Amino acid sequence: MDDYYGPFTSEREKEVLGVPLRLVEAWARNDVDAVVDVFTKDGTLILPGDVYKVGRDEIRPFLAAAFAGPFKGSRITGKPVDLRIVTDTVALIRTHGGILAPGETEISPELAVRSTWTVKKEEDGVWYLAGYQNSPRGTGATLRW
């Protein structure tokens, strides 16, 4: 697990980077509710193909359809490449990763992404995903939802 954190090894950095880890773990189970619970109540999800969802109530049915259809049995993976703690309660994370199709161990070029995560520490002391956006990485990448 320590190889996930790369150069971001302080306890605070690891706490912030727990947000992508929670999402990866929930996605691996294709657990819609657990994925959605990583987001703040008014979190945003922006993906290629004009996907723009605001709030858990919009994100949940979108992900349920994805897990029932094209991303059934898929997993996501990635590594942080940049981390900026902006305030005591806001941080920005940039990761490189993508979606692993069922049975795959390497990300195919069309499913590789660069992602930006805006995370926020809420009143309960837990970091949540306030905003997530990704874009295809590499030539020929055509990720569509």
Side-chain angles (χ1 to χ4, degrees):
M1 180 59 66
D2 283 340
D3 65 326
Y4 164 77
Y5 297 106
F8 311 108
T9 57
S10 76
E11 289 307 310
R12 185 177 179 117
E13 290 170 329
K14 287 181 177 182
E15 184 180 344
V16 169
L17 290 172
V19 174
L21 286 176
R22 290 195 333 259
L23 191 74
V24 165
E25 290 167 2
W27 192 291
R29 298 187 310 271
N30 281 188
D31 184 338
V32 173
D33 291 328
V35 171
V36 171
D37 287 346
V38 174
F39 285 84
T40 60
K41 290 179 184 178
D42 61 348
T44 59
L45 175 66
I46 303 171
L47 302 172
D50 292 328
V51 174
Y52 179 71
K53 305 296 177 188
V54 178
R56 291 175 178 167
D57 290 342
E58 287 186 16
I59 295 169
R60 182 174 281 106
F62 171 77
L63 288 177
F67 287 154
F71 294 101
K72 183 176 184 174
S74 67
R75 295 176 294 122
I76 56 174
T77 187
K79 295 242 180 174
V81 295
D82 190 29
L83 171 60
R84 299 173 191 203
I85 298 176
V86 180
T87 69
D88 289 341
T89 59
V90 175
L92 303 173
I93 305 166
R94 188 167 47 93
T95 60
H96 291 176
I99 297 174
L100 294 166
E104 296 293 320
T105 58
E106 297 291 324
I107 301 167
S108 65
E110 62 273 6
L111 296 178
V113 297
R114 298 179 193 273
S115 303
T116 302
W117 310 65
T118 302
V119 298
K120 179 182 176 193
K121 190 174 194 175
E122 297 277 84
E123 291 179 9
D124 62 2
V126 176
W127 289 89
Y128 292 92
L129 185 53
Y132 176 85
Q133 181 172 5
N134 76 35
S135 59
R137 184 175 83 187
T139 57
T142 57
L143 179 64
R144 290 286 181 256
W145 292 89

